[in-house]
Amino acid sequence: MFVMTIDQRGSRIHGDKVPPLLSLLANLDMVLPFERSVGDEIQGVFEEPSAVVEAVARVLRERDWYIGIGLGGVDLPLPKHSREASGSAFVAAREAVEAAKKTGERVPLCVKTPLATAAAARWVDAAEAVLVLAGDVIRRRSDAEWRVLDALAAAPAASQKDVAQQLGISPQAVSKAIVRSGRHEVRHGREAATLLLEHAKQAHNVGATR
């Protein structure tokens, strides 16, 4: 399984932003939903890589968080709350979020898996690289670009002309915002990261049964 540990950056300066982040992540497909684990940190458990990638995209948009993703085993039966759970995936997520705090100007995200699952390590490293690249594009988007992207997401069948009329801008401005925001590149990057995490998960499961 995948465990995500997310810790707030600069909480002493910006205050506690955990409640709004929990609301933002409330509707994800998860084994155990995100909840505050300690201080300004939240933690949740996933089975599906696609949900992990969706969570990453939402959190990186907020820019105020370190993200650690751990792939590994969990001790069963799982409790009702992630903060009461244990297993190698939780250890890996803890190591990952601590590593994310040391990334400097790079996207503060790391993915880890236990050393015992070396076969999964290559897939994990590749997934991290793709998530960081896509995350860098996400973090650079302007408010104007997000307005266009949010309008497109809210009405997938709408044309660019319709979105332009809704936002009170020209169709050319919509087109330019789509290109500048890297909309297509991020979408394909998310698909690639999902595939890589799925391969990592399968490799880990094979290694765990040996």
Side-chain angles (χ1 to χ4, degrees), residues 69-91:
I69 303 171
L71 167 62
V74 298
D75 295 334
L76 300 175
L78 280 170
K80 293 182 178 180
H81 302 285
S82 63
R83 62 177 177 270
E84 299 170 355
S86 59
S88 63
F90 291 90
V91 175

Side-chain angles (χ1 to χ4, degrees), residues 3 7 13-14 32 42 52-53 58 67 90 92 113 120 129 135 137 155 159 173 175 179 202:
V3 173
D7 197 8
I13 300 174
H14 305 296
L32 291 177
I42 67 173
V52 174
V53 173
R58 295 186 190 185
I67 303 173
F90 291 90
T113 192
V137 177
S159 67
S175 180
V179 173
Q202 292 174 4

Side-chain angles (χ1 to χ4, degrees), residues 153-209:
S159 67
Q160 292 185 22
K161 183 178 180 180
D162 293 334
V163 170
Q165 185 175 10
Q166 174 189 337
L167 297 178
I169 59 178
S170 69
Q172 292 80 4
V174 171
S175 180
K176 288 180 180 180
I178 292 172
V179 173
R180 287 196 303 265
S181 69
R183 181 175 183 244
H184 300 300
E185 291 78 8
V186 169
R187 183 176 72 244
H188 293 312
R190 289 178 54 163
E191 292 171 354
T194 298
L195 181 62
L196 291 166
L197 288 175
E198 182 61 44
H199 279 298
K201 175 183 170 183
Q202 292 174 4
H204 174 269
N205 290 341
V206 170
T209 58

Side-chain angles (χ1 to χ4, degrees), residues 67-150:
I67 303 173
I69 303 171
L71 167 62
V74 298
D75 295 334
L76 300 175
L78 280 170
K80 293 182 178 180
H81 302 285
S82 63
R83 62 177 177 270
E84 299 170 355
S86 59
S88 63
F90 291 90
V91 175
R94 169 56 52 197
E95 293 175 351
V97 78
E98 292 303 323
K101 295 176 183 179
K102 302 174 183 177
T103 54
E105 296 301 314
R106 199 198 77 161
V107 173
L109 176 149
C110 286
V111 188
K112 298 284 186 181
T113 192
L115 293 176
T117 58
R122 294 188 298 275
W123 294 113
V124 161
D125 289 344
E128 177 183 301
V130 172
L131 287 171
V132 166
L133 289 171
D136 189 56
V137 177
I138 290 172
R139 292 201 309 166
R140 293 175 184 272
R141 288 171 173 169
S142 67
D143 291 340
E145 289 163 5
W146 276 118
R147 283 194 292 273
V148 171
L149 295 177
D150 289 340

Side-chain angles (χ1 to χ4, degrees), residues 4 25 28 34 46 50-60 67:
M4 285 186 66
L25 302 173
L28 293 169
F34 278 110
F46 295 79
S50 59
V52 174
V53 173
E54 174 63 23
V56 167
R58 295 186 190 185
V59 176
L60 286 178
I67 303 173

Side-chain angles (χ1 to χ4, degrees), residues 29-43:
D29 179 16
M30 301 182 66
V31 178
L32 291 177
F34 278 110
E35 63 180 2
R36 190 190 296 268
S37 50
V38 61
D40 300 312
E41 179 183 280
I42 67 173
Q43 185 173 261

